[in-house]
Amino acid sequence: MQALHLLALEPISETTADWNSYGFRPERATQDAVRQCFLVLSKTTSAKWILEGDIKGCFDNINHEWIINNIPMDKKILHKWLKAGYIHKRILYPTDAGTPQGGICSPTLANMTLDGLEAELKRFRLQDKVHMVRYADDFIITGNSKELLEGEVRLLVEKFLSAKGLELSPEKTNVTHVDQGFDFLGVNIRKYNGKLLIKPSKKNVKAFLDKVRNAIRSNKATKQISLIKMLNPIIRGWANYHRSVVARETFERVDSEIWRSLWRWAKRRHPEKRTVWNLVGSGRKATPSQRNGSYRPGKPLFDRRSNYALRVAFV
């Protein structure tokens, strides 16, 4: 039922959507949002200050009355969806606010609720350099001064959200200078000596390495080929996500960290084997540095020519 209504609702939402809204929309992705950040911040004449905004419990707190009055669809069906509640451990929990839990219409309803903020920001002068980039409930707004963002812009955003039952998260809403940098959608955006560079954020890298390490630790007795098949999608997906940003140094560090984890896994699984290790199919002979255990294979784990992103075996 929701899918049928979404077929009719999505074209309407696309015609009324904010131009620089990228979350949960067809033919748009996080890379498009990051690209727009680069366009509005990379020039020498670009805005220097950024308001990092995060809406507190966006999907859970949207005012039902506002949705029913403003979303162009059957009101009775929409009311039933919003008030249906959800069941957890055989207990029915009513929903007095927010979009349907797990509903495929929920992202579209949330986007239509937040659309219009960019139009509100157009009241500022061109000299103020106010631009917005939004992905779902995460957004940034650029400005020419810290006072402008903390005063006028933030008050306007809070007023816009309050009419819909929403509010900014005080912990995650900050005003930052572009030279200090900020994290957005898994990347860090910062100017170094006047040049804007976009790199994988430290939090994102840490979360990825923790995921890989946990996968390796929880499969200590797994066969090598099974571990490879398990790790390949994780590594390949993360690397492809960051391939369009400045990530060479990060890839090299991550490559080294994963190799160390795999070395420990291999040594534990084959404690009686020699300490000479190599990549499958490399054809290299053991050197003195390899024999004493200090060898580090030069071929990276992020090898696009390989069928497998990583292939480790003992010699």
Side-chain angles (χ1 to χ4, degrees):
M1 177 66 75
Q2 286 197 23
L4 291 175
H5 280 81
L6 182 61
L7 290 174
L9 188 61
E10 190 172 70
I12 300 174
S13 68
E14 285 298 304
T15 59
T16 60
D18 287 341
W19 184 256
N20 289 302
S21 167
Y22 298 93
F24 305 113
R25 295 183 60 189
E27 307 299 330
R28 295 196 175 203
T30 53
Q31 284 77 9
D32 298 315
V34 173
R35 175 181 177 273
Q36 183 62 23
C37 291
F38 181 85
L39 292 177
V40 299
L41 293 171
S42 60
K43 299 178 182 178
T44 55
T45 56
S46 297
K48 306 296 183 184
W49 293 91
I50 299 96
L51 172 66
E52 306 172 60
D54 183 85
I55 302 172
K56 186 177 181 180
C58 178
F59 288 88
D60 300 326
N61 297 316
I62 299 176
N63 184 279
H64 281 179
E65 184 178 352
W66 189 94
I67 295 178
I68 294 173
N69 293 335
N70 292 274
I71 301 300
M73 63 171 289
D74 189 291
K75 305 302 180 182
K76 290 184 178 180
I77 296 294
L78 183 57
H79 183 272
K80 290 179 180 180
W81 286 350
L82 296 175
K83 301 298 183 180
Y86 64 95
I87 296 176
H88 180 63
K89 294 183 179 180
R90 299 185 179 183
I91 300 177
L92 176 63
Y93 294 87
T95 49
D96 299 322
T99 53
Q101 294 285 335
I104 60 175
C105 270
S106 295
T108 302
L109 294 176
N111 267 335
M112 296 183 75
T113 303
L114 297 176
D115 288 335
L117 178 57
E118 191 169 15
E120 292 288 329
L121 294 173
K122 288 184 178 179
R123 68 176 62 180
F124 293 96
R125 302 174 302 168
L126 291 177
Q127 296 90 326
D128 294 330
K129 302 175 183 178
V130 176
H131 302 281
M132 185 195 76
V133 180
R134 180 171 67 85
Y135 190 94
D137 59 339
D138 291 328
F139 64 89
I140 66 161
I141 299 176
T142 65
N144 204 28
S145 67
K146 184 176 182 180
E147 293 74 19
L148 174 69
L149 293 177
E150 288 182 337
E152 299 180 45
V153 173
R154 180 161 183 168
L155 289 177
L156 186 148
V157 173
E158 290 175 346
K159 182 180 179 181
F160 175 84
L161 294 176
S162 63
K164 304 175 182 183
L166 301 172
E167 61 180 348
L168 293 174
S169 173
E171 301 81 11
K172 299 181 180 179
T173 302
N174 305 295
V175 176
T176 310
H177 196 276
V178 69
D179 290 341
Q180 297 176 344
F182 62 95
D183 292 346
F184 186 58
L185 300 177
V187 297
N188 180 264
I189 303 173
R190 179 181 175 184
K191 270 190 176 181
Y192 298 83
N193 297 323
K195 183 176 182 179
L196 188 74
L197 296 181
I198 303 177
K199 303 178 180 181
S201 67
K202 293 181 179 180
K203 291 182 180 179
N204 184 270
V205 173
K206 183 180 183 301
F208 168 69
L209 286 175
D210 288 343
K211 184 176 181 179
V212 173
R213 287 165 179 158
N214 289 335
I216 295 174
R217 289 168 185 161
S218 59
N219 290 274
K220 295 179 178 179
T222 303
K223 290 184 179 180
Q224 176 184 318
I225 188 65
S226 300
L227 183 63
I228 290 173
K229 289 181 179 180
M230 182 186 302
L231 294 180
N232 271 336
I234 301 174
I235 297 173
R236 189 181 294 113
W238 183 84
N240 285 336
Y241 182 86
H242 291 290
R243 67 188 298 179
S244 59
V245 301
V246 183
R248 178 177 177 177
E249 292 182 359
T250 304
F251 280 0
E252 290 176 350
R253 174 177 167 265
V254 168
D255 177 44
S256 179
E257 292 294 331
I258 295 177
W259 186 87
R260 289 192 182 96
S261 297
L262 289 172
W263 178 279
R264 289 191 290 269
W265 172 88
K267 289 292 293 179
R268 180 190 180 280
R269 198 170 189 279
H270 304 283
E272 302 300 327
K273 297 295 181 180
R274 297 162 59 193
T275 58
V276 182
W277 298 79
N278 206 341
L279 290 170
V280 171
S282 66
R284 296 193 182 105
K285 295 182 179 180
T287 63
S289 63
Q290 295 170 342
R291 294 190 183 95
N292 61 27
S294 62
Y295 173 64
R296 165 70 169 88
K299 188 176 181 181
L301 297 175
F302 302 105
D303 185 5
R304 299 177 184 175
R305 296 170 298 177
S306 302
N307 292 328
Y308 292 108
L310 64 94
R311 299 184 295 175
V312 181
F314 60 86
V315 178

